Amino acid sequence: MLIDTHCHLTDERFDEDREEIISSLFQNGIERAIVVGYDRQSSSESFKLAKKHENLYCAVGTHPHDSNKYGVSDAEYYKELSNDEKVVAIGEIGLDYFYDLSEREIQRKVFVEQLELADSLKLPVIIHLRDAYEDMFDLLSRNVHYLNHGLLFHCYSGSAEMAKRYFKFDPYFAFGGSITFKNAKFCYEVLPIIDKDRILFETDSPYLTPVPFRGKRNEPKFTRLAVEKASEILNVEVDELIKSSIINARRLFTKLK
Ligand SMILES: [Zn+2]
């Protein structure tokens, strides 16, 4: 059984068959799934889903794309939700200089504010990071006092060299469908240098559908395809990776039952 540590089951692409997908998670080998918010609305919806289904948990937070909408009331709202046993992390938060949908300065400010929030709630953070590797390193270095409860780079696609520099923050790395893509050469360099105790798996569904289902909607059940690819890259048995990734997920997300 696997844990999909990052999915967006609140996405409208699941409107037709959401309940069906959730009720068939177990028979598809998914023991738990973490539904991740990216703004106030999606965090609220993720929370509601997690409250409704035993096998779902959630993360609440504001994505870098939506940083310009983030305010004090959102922080208060996330704080209130986080008292619940189903909220396992603050996320996804981070920096995205590829799309630049919010001003970079605002992205940085909102990211640090949410690091502080997570620390005050004793929760780990789920980090989205794209094309902002130096700034991320700089912000984490300057705010290392907020990193007492763990951090996860979700769908990490940076270089091995950068990953090594991040090691000083003792992060976890989650890999999903993108490691199965033909152009994903980076993972042959990145995966082998990461400690097995720090590797997790995810889908980011409905996005990043793995090979051979590209073009279709991604679903939590495809988590296994990322594990199979990692097993091939690392030359480690699939079952061994599944086992360690579940232990790792529970070590990082301490509220996950
Ligand atoms: Zn996501």
Side-chain angles (χ1 to χ4, degrees):
M1 297 300 280
L2 269 163
I3 296 176
D4 180 357
T5 59
H6 193 116
C7 60
H8 301 286
L9 289 173
T10 55
D11 192 278
E12 59 180 18
R13 273 176 277 177
F14 291 112
D15 283 353
E16 301 274 290
D17 57 354
R18 183 174 295 108
E19 294 298 317
E20 230 169 281
I21 287 197
I22 295 168
S23 60
S24 62
L25 283 175
F26 198 79
Q27 73 199 61
N28 282 315
I30 305 296
E31 185 186 334
R32 297 278 183 262
I34 300 175
V35 187
V36 180
Y38 47 85
D39 62 0
R40 188 186 181 122
Q41 164 109 22
S42 59
S43 294
S44 162
E45 289 167 8
S46 301
F47 179 74
K48 280 182 200 144
L49 266 191
K51 286 306 281 178
K52 194 171 163 198
H53 300 276
E54 199 197 339
N55 50 357
L56 298 184
Y57 286 76
C58 70
V60 297
T62 294
H63 191 285
H65 289 347
D66 302 286
S67 295
N68 49 15
K69 294 190 292 183
Y70 182 81
V72 180
S73 69
D74 296 301
E76 284 303 320
Y77 182 59
Y78 297 154
K79 197 172 175 176
E80 187 188 312
L81 294 182
S82 298
N83 288 324
D84 194 274
E85 57 178 8
K86 285 290 190 133
V87 181
V88 299
I90 294 296
E92 52 188 302
I93 64 174
L95 301 175
D96 192 316
Y97 293 176
F98 181 77
Y99 286 107
D100 276 327
L101 296 185
S102 287
E103 278 172 58
R104 293 180 179 186
E105 200 177 318
I106 295 173
Q107 290 189 38
R108 290 191 287 264
K109 181 172 171 279
V110 169
F111 174 61
V112 173
E113 280 179 22
Q114 292 182 98
L115 284 183
E116 184 181 2
L117 174 69
D119 189 56
S120 72
L121 298 166
K122 298 187 165 47
L123 287 175
V125 290
I126 298 174
I127 297 177
H128 168 101
L129 172 60
R130 194 156 180 205
D131 285 6
Y133 298 98
E134 284 297 338
D135 273 13
M136 177 57 69
F137 182 80
D138 180 52
L139 287 182
L140 292 177
S141 299
R142 284 195 274 135
N143 294 282
V144 77
H145 49 283
Y146 293 143
L147 306 178
N148 302 307
H149 306 283
L151 65 153
L152 167 66
F153 288 110
H154 116 82
C155 200
Y156 182 77
S157 55
S159 67
E161 194 187 324
M162 212 56 229
K164 276 185 198 161
R165 290 176 62 200
Y166 293 136
F167 285 169
K168 76 169 192 180
F169 310 114
D170 196 20
Y172 287 76
F173 294 84
F175 298 96
S178 57
I179 69 169
T180 69
F181 300 171
K182 281 208 173 61
N183 60 1
K185 299 277 178 277
F186 73 94
C187 53
Y188 285 87
E189 280 152 30
V190 172
L191 270 154
I193 63 160
I194 298 173
D195 193 325
K196 304 285 179 300
D197 286 350
R198 291 293 179 272
I199 295 178
L200 303 179
F201 294 100
E202 61 167 59
T203 56
D204 204 16
S205 49
Y207 312 104
L208 301 175
T209 312
V211 173
F213 300 106
R214 291 201 73 180
K216 287 189 183 163
R217 178 188 68 179
N218 200 1
E219 292 181 31
K221 68 179 178 189
F222 293 146
T223 308
R224 192 180 167 92
L225 294 168
V227 184
E228 285 171 0
K229 183 68 186 184
S231 143
E232 181 194 315
I233 295 168
L234 297 170
N235 199 18
V236 173
E237 292 291 326
V238 168
D239 284 349
E240 199 180 311
L241 279 179
I242 289 177
K243 225 184 266 172
S244 61
S245 71
I246 286 192
I247 294 170
N248 298 344
R250 291 211 158 90
R251 193 189 312 109
L252 173 65
F253 301 114
T254 53
K255 288 165 80 178
L256 201 61
K257 293 209 174 92

